[in-house]
Amino acid sequence: MARFAFVALFGSLLAGFATAAPVPIKMELLARANATTTFTEQAYADFQISDGVGGTAVDEANAVFVDPFDGVDLSTISSDTLDAINTMREAAESAETDDFDPQIDAATGAVADALSVGKTKNKVLKLTGEIQAIQIKIAQAQASGDDTSDLEDSLNEEQTKLNTNVAADKANAGETSQGVA
């Protein structure tokens, strides 16, 4: 009789497991948690977006600074990657002040116009990198429970600058753009 009770208990236990509802796993959350960035630091000449035509800066800048982080939890970005973003953004800023400005001042006509369009695209690139770095810092601060109000103020300031330069780039759509690298 004890053997029958054990078999009945074991059978009902197995039946309970077999009919138990599966625990739902949100695959996009799992993928996001396990995603890694494809971001690698590059020399300015390798990531600059100023050659070509105006009007495309947003997509080109996103391809450099935003798209490599698609599906990645920004709070998990390493300090090395954040440093690489900042180094590249600083290179774009240096190109603006050290290269674009003097070359625009020295140029005339179509060359000056093309350099001006390129400078605008470069500003979009620089600001996109700055905003991405701030967003990473915000995500990391939030994950640590730290105050993000100063970072959010900086983000809003940089976003305003970016919006202005994106509008200028769109106004230059189709115009020849020349880089300095």
Side-chain angles (χ1 to χ4, degrees), residues 39-40 42-51 53-69 84-96 99-100 116-135 158-159 161-170 177-181:
F39 190 84
T40 56
Q42 301 173 52
Y44 178 73
D46 296 329
F47 74 90
Q48 67 88 18
I49 64 169
S50 295
D51 293 322
V53 295
T56 58
V58 170
D59 291 337
E60 292 175 86
N62 283 343
V64 173
F65 286 116
V66 178
D67 296 349
F69 299 93
I85 292 168
N86 284 320
T87 297
M88 289 171 62
R89 182 209 47 85
E90 289 167 1
E93 185 171 351
S94 292
E96 179 183 335
D99 298 318
F100 276 106
S116 292
V117 173
K119 179 181 175 181
T120 299
K121 288 180 72 171
N122 187 71
K123 285 182 174 186
V124 171
L125 177 67
K126 170 190 75 171
L127 291 164
T128 301
E130 179 69 18
I131 287 170
Q132 183 70 319
I134 294 169
Q135 288 176 328
E158 298 304 318
Q159 187 64 55
K161 293 177 193 176
L162 178 61
N163 292 345
T164 299
N165 284 284
V166 166
D169 178 61
K170 288 182 180 181
S177 178
Q178 181 176 328
V180 293

Side-chain angles (χ1 to χ4, degrees), residues 8-125:
L9 178 62
F10 184 70
S12 63
L13 183 63
L14 283 177
F17 283 128
T19 61
V23 176
I25 297 175
K26 295 192 176 200
M27 294 309 289
E28 72 267 3
L29 292 178
L30 184 60
R32 185 176 175 98
N34 292 328
T36 58
T37 180
T38 58
F39 190 84
T40 56
E41 186 173 341
Q42 301 173 52
Y44 178 73
D46 296 329
F47 74 90
Q48 67 88 18
I49 64 169
S50 295
D51 293 322
V53 295
T56 58
V58 170
D59 291 337
E60 292 175 86
N62 283 343
V64 173
F65 286 116
V66 178
D67 296 349
F69 299 93
D70 186 38
V72 176
D73 179 351
L74 295 181
S75 69
T76 65
I77 300 301
S78 72
S79 61
D80 289 341
T81 299
L82 185 57
D83 289 345
I85 292 168
N86 284 320
T87 297
M88 289 171 62
R89 182 209 47 85
E90 289 167 1
E93 185 171 351
S94 292
E96 179 183 335
T97 57
D98 298 343
D99 298 318
F100 276 106
D101 289 343
Q103 288 186 34
I104 291 169
D105 290 343
T108 59
V111 173
D113 292 343
L115 285 166
S116 292
V117 173
K119 179 181 175 181
T120 299
K121 288 180 72 171
N122 187 71
K123 285 182 174 186
V124 171
L125 177 67

Side-chain angles (χ1 to χ4, degrees), residues 144-164:
S144 298
D146 295 336
D147 178 46
T148 61
S149 57
D150 288 345
L151 290 168
E152 289 173 22
D153 290 344
S154 293
L155 179 63
N156 289 332
E157 289 174 27
E158 298 304 318
Q159 187 64 55
T160 299
K161 293 177 193 176
L162 178 61
N163 292 345
T164 299

